[in-house]
Amino acid sequence: RSQPRADAVTVVVTNPTCIHNKTQDLMELDAHLILLSETSATLAVQNKEVFEFKSKGYHTIWGHPMPPQMHGGPRDSMRGAAAGVSLHTRYTCRPSHIPDESEWFYSGRFMHAYVQLPKFEIQVCTLYGFPASKAEARGKTNSLLEHAIHRSRLSTHPTMICGDLNHHPDK
């Protein structure tokens, strides 16, 4: 396991489709920052996986939890809707202090956080765009990206906007 250095930071942006029971696979990437799009993480999964990441030396910030895909028993709550974003890092991190009451946050498609690197702090916007098979996917993804740009302008910190857009934005 590599320790954070002042001169190099390894960042992984990936789409796990469903994070439940994939923490060990993500640890094999040996990254300092892991940014996930489409975690499908319900509250139950977030509560379970946060301890897995913590045991590996990671701090975690989850986006809004996803509603379960099925209802009927405890196992049903382990896979949520096809959305969800999260940040996992070996550096100190914190959620944005400016509340986000947007539909993007509550849909599990956007999160805004800060990561304290060795020499400066950055803001990270993680997002999950809309699959091309969805109606108006490109326009919705453009709006999501515009939201990320707007949120990033609320601070003068250097910014990283990342995630799975599912297709190229129009603008």
Side-chain angles (χ1 to χ4, degrees):
R1 181 175 92 164
S2 66
Q3 294 299 315
R5 297 175 10 201
D7 62 342
V9 176
T10 304
V11 178
V12 169
V13 179
T14 189
N15 176 331
T17 305
C18 177
I19 191 160
H20 181 58
N21 291 330
K22 291 187 181 170
T23 302
Q24 187 56 44
D25 295 336
L26 293 167
M27 294 301 102
E28 291 175 14
L29 300 172
D30 198 30
H32 301 116
L33 275 90
I34 301 173
L35 305 153
L36 302 177
S37 296
E38 195 181 10
T39 64
S40 299
T42 62
L43 183 58
V45 169
Q46 289 181 357
N47 290 336
K48 176 187 176 291
E49 298 297 333
V50 73
F51 291 108
E52 295 293 323
F53 279 103
K54 188 174 184 174
S55 73
K56 306 294 186 194
Y58 283 83
H59 303 278
T60 295
I61 298 176
W62 293 102
H64 196 269
M66 296 294 86
Q69 282 187 346
M70 298 176 61
H71 303 279
R75 294 186 56 91
D76 293 339
S77 66
M78 301 316 268
R79 174 101 187 222
V85 290
S86 63
L87 161 75
H88 313 274
T89 179
R90 291 200 174 118
Y91 297 106
T92 303
C93 61
R94 62 182 173 86
S96 175
H97 67 280
I98 302 169
D100 186 355
E101 299 292 328
S102 71
E103 66 180 283
W104 303 121
F105 172 76
Y106 288 110
S107 70
R109 294 188 177 274
F110 179 80
M111 68 169 288
H112 185 197
Y114 291 82
V115 178
Q116 181 61 57
L117 300 176
K119 296 184 179 184
F120 56 92
E121 188 174 54
I122 64 169
Q123 59 180 323
V124 179
C125 296
T126 308
L127 46 92
Y128 178 59
F130 292 83
S133 61
K134 300 280 186 187
E136 302 175 22
R138 190 170 300 277
K140 289 180 179 181
T141 299
N142 285 339
S143 294
L144 174 59
L145 190 52
E146 287 174 9
H147 178 72
I149 292 167
H150 170 75
R151 292 285 299 185
S152 72
R153 290 181 175 160
L154 299 176
S155 167
T156 58
H157 289 76
T159 305
M160 182 168 49
I161 298 174
C162 56
D164 182 354
L165 295 176
N166 282 308
H167 50 78
H168 296 290
D170 287 336
K171 48 188 174 180

